[in-house]
Amino acid sequence: MLTCSKCGYDNELGRIFCHSCGAKLDLSNIKSPSQGGAKLKRKGGTGGKLVGRTIVILILVALIAVIYLAAQVPASARSAPPTRI
């Protein structure tokens, strides 16, 4: 955590400006992971990718269902005798 020198807010690692007051943070106090500092972690993970893939799969299934149903010939049209004009 980085403490803001202006307002005292504890900011997470990776920030350049304070989340509370917007003042520029002193980044010279940060230790790199090789010097014993904390490792940066990405927020969110793969949750967004999973939701996006699920939506794409649902759209594809719906599209296939529409194409399949559109290609079906009604049974009454096959068995009805031809009409004369």
Side-chain angles (χ1 to χ4, degrees), residues 42-60:
R42 287 186 173 237
K43 292 183 181 179
T46 61
K49 290 182 183 179
L50 182 62
V51 171
R53 277 194 188 146
T54 303
I55 291 172
V56 168
I57 289 171
L58 289 174
I59 290 171
L60 287 175

Side-chain angles (χ1 to χ4, degrees), residues 2-3 8 10 12 14 24 27-28 30-32 36 38-39 43 45 51 55 63-64 71 74 79-80 84-85:
L2 291 172
T3 304
D10 281 334
E12 59 272 357
K24 188 165 183 171
L27 303 178
S28 62
I30 300 174
K31 292 181 181 179
S32 68
K39 293 182 180 179
K43 292 183 181 179
V51 171
I55 291 172
L63 183 62
I64 291 170
S79 62
R84 293 187 178 174
I85 298 177

Side-chain angles (χ1 to χ4, degrees), residues 6-18:
K6 186 175 180 182
C7 69
Y9 184 80
D10 281 334
N11 295 281
E12 59 272 357
L13 291 176
R15 287 201 167 269
I16 297 174
F17 297 99
C18 178

